Amino acid sequence: MQENTYDAIVIGAGMSGGWSAKELCERGLKTLLLERGPDVKHIKDYPTATKNPWEFEHRGEMPLKVKEANPVIARCYAYREDNAHFFVKDQEHPYAQDTPFDWIRGYQVGGRSLMWARQTQRWSDFDFEGPARDGFAVDWPIRYQDIDPWYSKVEKFVGISGNRDGIDVLPDGEFLPAWKLNCVQSFFSDSVKKNYKNRHVIFGRCAHLSDPQEVHRQQGRGMCMARLECARGCPLGGYFSANSSTIPWAAKTGNLTLRPDAVVQSIMYDDKLGKATGVRIIDRLTGAVTEYSSRLIFVNAGAINTVSVLLNSKSSAFPDGLGNHNGLLGKYIAFHNYRGKISARCDDFGDNKEIGRRPSGGYLPRFRNVYRQETDFLRGYAAGFGASRSRIGGKAEGWGEELRDNLLGAKPELGPWQVGSHMMGATIPKEDSYVSLDQTKVDEWGMPLIHVAMRYDDNDEKMLLDFFEQFSEMYEKAGFKDIRIRDTKQAPGLDIHEMGGARMGRDPKTSTLNAWNQLHTCPNVFVTDGACMTSTSTQNPSLTYMAIAARAANYAADQLEKENI
Ligand SMILES: Cc1cc2nc3c(=O)[nH]c(=O)nc-3n(C[C@H](O)[C@H](O)[C@H](O)COP(=O)(O)OP(=O)(O)OC[C@H]3O[C@@H](n4cnc5c(N)ncnc54)[C@H](O)[C@@H]3O)c2cc1C
């Protein structure tokens, strides 16, 4: 029993779980970090990190047969031959799509922090005040000032490159120097500034070390060399992942026990004590069941899995799942609307070409419905902005040196500049967007099959049309030609920003978590991943998950010290 007893247990060793574990360990708590997938040690377990293109059987492309066998992940832009080992394959962990939903997962130590695109934008009060202002979901129980210092803490440790742009909807943070926009991106930035009030094209803030500081060197991480092979795992630690940063840091305290291959089945609850007492796991490889006890439990399994663990944690006090006193657990899930794409040609700057690479690109923060409601839909969208020239004239003819010379050419010809934007729209959390558990079907570890249902609604359709209109106008004003819009019609999920299901709120009747991410009805259980999100904003969410996790972990440690939990 003693061997299996800890001060704290963290479920899920990904982006947010790494932060929960780091903070709890630093506060002196003996912490067990449980992860359902295999261990992935920084550097050692990045098998493709330094391979050359010709060392891959299919030069990095996924063969058609593999794509056909994995239609869900094959739709994800990031799924390639060089990083396929980090993705959960469609057949490995089936789930029921009550409505079409492409669920992109990474079951391993590090979770999806190994696979992410590293875009890190702070939220602002335009986001935290959104539901109250626009009358949907419930009011967030926190505001920007509650989380501002935690953003700073996370940014300094993670290392975020960006400019202090002074934009209301996108608060500045603790930044390392940013990379520069290229000439066409800068031109578009100037054009937008000239033609519009409160619209900006900035360099997208990203979790890359442009100028490593002492705290990064102590993590053993070095400067980002813009190799852009991040998705394979970076041996330099140039971008932030839990594997290169938070988990080894937590281990250095001597307080961390990492237990990979541990599928958490449920959280145990003692009716008499009125608190959670530990967790039950199933060993992924042997099927053996083990129980671990602790005073504190952090659930960081990634929003949908977090909800499913809670729903599966039944007791006589909580017959419908832990913390589900009001029947809301699993409801009000939301995501980001990534359906809109627009592209065009820029006929200027033909004498310019890009040299070198950048780990991020142009970013247009939300500008719609910010200071007043100006459209017939609620909230707004952000967007990326990219500009590049394709190479033409390189012919794949000949063999050996002749082929190489043909491909490279002494003077490879460059085509015109192509520009493009993709929409990142907020969606409104709805009661009928849910995660639930099957009553009869179970997976190979005996866990109930997860059902997912998420739909676009009228608000999303109107927002999409507005994105096309506004971006067509901005592109026209910049003189771009051959403007093309495209609705990808992709199902929810490919944004990979699933949020909600155990939302934060002020009132236990209408929410699952309080302002400190504690279950209202079981205060020694904290949920600090995407499941806690009351609404969605337009910004990428992971920086906010990390800040929320750090804040809640320190609060929990304080409460333990005061014996309030
Ligand atoms: C291609 C791609 C690009 C992305 N780009 C961005 C971006 O630019 N910016 C951004 O903010 N976000 C981005 N994301 C999303 C980002 O990766 C997630 O928001 C983030 O990883 C979520 O953190 P998490 O801790 O909730 O979940 P994860 O990082 O997924 O970690 C959850 C962990 O819990 C484990 N787990 C699940 N169930 C159990 C269980 N029952 N028992 C034990 N362990 C369990 C999982 O195996 C996993 O390791 C991207 C994701 C992908 C895949």
Side-chain angles (χ1 to χ4, degrees), residues 348-425:
D348 299 321
F349 300 96
D351 294 336
N352 296 49
K353 62 180 177 187
E354 256 190 307
I355 299 175
R357 289 172 281 214
R358 287 151 256 252
S360 185
Y363 182 84
L364 280 93
R366 171 181 164 204
F367 53 84
R368 272 312 213 190
N369 302 326
V370 175
Y371 301 104
R372 62 186 176 86
Q373 182 62 37
E374 57 190 329
T375 68
D376 61 350
F377 60 85
L378 294 179
R379 314 312 293 161
Y381 46 83
F385 178 72
S388 61
R389 297 182 75 178
S390 55
R391 259 209 343 222
I392 51 173
K395 291 190 204 113
E397 281 174 8
W399 292 97
E401 276 187 30
E402 188 193 348
L403 170 64
R404 191 197 59 194
D405 291 347
N406 277 340
L407 284 172
L408 294 176
K411 270 195 199 160
E413 269 185 58
L414 293 173
W417 286 92
Q418 303 291 341
V419 298
S421 293
H422 57 279
M423 165 192 185
M424 298 179 262

Side-chain angles (χ1 to χ4, degrees), residues 221-276:
R221 296 171 56 202
M223 189 159 129
C224 168
M225 307 301 282
R227 295 170 69 234
L228 302 198
E229 306 292 7
C230 321
R232 303 176 181 182
C234 179
L236 307 167
Y239 77 91
F240 169 85
S241 67
N243 312 64
S244 65
S245 179
T246 44
I247 295 175
W249 190 271
K252 269 202 286 193
T253 64
N255 290 326
L256 182 77
T257 303
L258 174 63
R259 168 75 162 87
D261 304 315
V263 183
V264 173
Q265 189 240 354
S266 58
I267 296 169
M268 299 174 300
Y269 181 82
D270 187 315
D271 286 348
K272 284 201 202 94
L273 292 174
K275 45 166 98 165

Side-chain angles (χ1 to χ4, degrees), residues 12 15-16 35-36 107-108 111-112 117-119 264 301 540 542:
M15 186 94 69
S16 63
E35 166 55 48
R36 70 178 302 154
Y107 288 174
Q108 61 244 328
R112 289 175 291 184
R118 309 156 309 279
Q119 296 296 302
V264 173
N540 310 71
S542 303

Side-chain angles (χ1 to χ4, degrees), residues 126-231:
F126 293 101
D127 304 305
F128 291 110
E129 290 173 359
R133 187 191 90 168
D134 289 346
F136 64 92
V138 289
D139 189 15
W140 276 86
I142 56 171
R143 289 291 183 264
Y144 179 70
Q145 65 173 23
D146 297 308
I147 195 155
D148 175 19
W150 300 99
Y151 274 136
S152 293
K153 178 176 178 137
V154 168
E155 284 165 342
K156 281 187 204 152
F157 191 81
V158 162
I160 307 290
S161 299
N163 292 310
R164 297 182 67 81
D165 301 293
I167 300 170
D168 284 358
V169 292
L170 201 71
D172 291 329
E174 314 285 336
F175 298 143
L176 304 173
W179 275 261
K180 286 194 169 42
L181 296 175
N182 67 29
C183 57
V184 175
Q185 289 169 327
S186 299
F187 163 74
F188 185 55
S189 177
D190 292 343
S191 165
V192 168
K193 196 175 292 162
K194 195 173 79 199
N195 289 304
Y196 299 90
K197 205 176 151 211
N198 296 322
R199 295 193 192 185
H200 310 270
V201 182
I202 62 165
F203 187 79
R205 298 159 185 179
C206 60
H208 285 257
L209 296 183
S210 55
D211 178 17
Q213 303 296 300
E214 181 53 26
V215 67
H216 308 122
R217 285 190 280 275
Q218 285 174 16
Q219 294 169 41
R221 296 171 56 202
M223 189 159 129
C224 168
M225 307 301 282
R227 295 170 69 234
L228 302 198
E229 306 292 7
C230 321

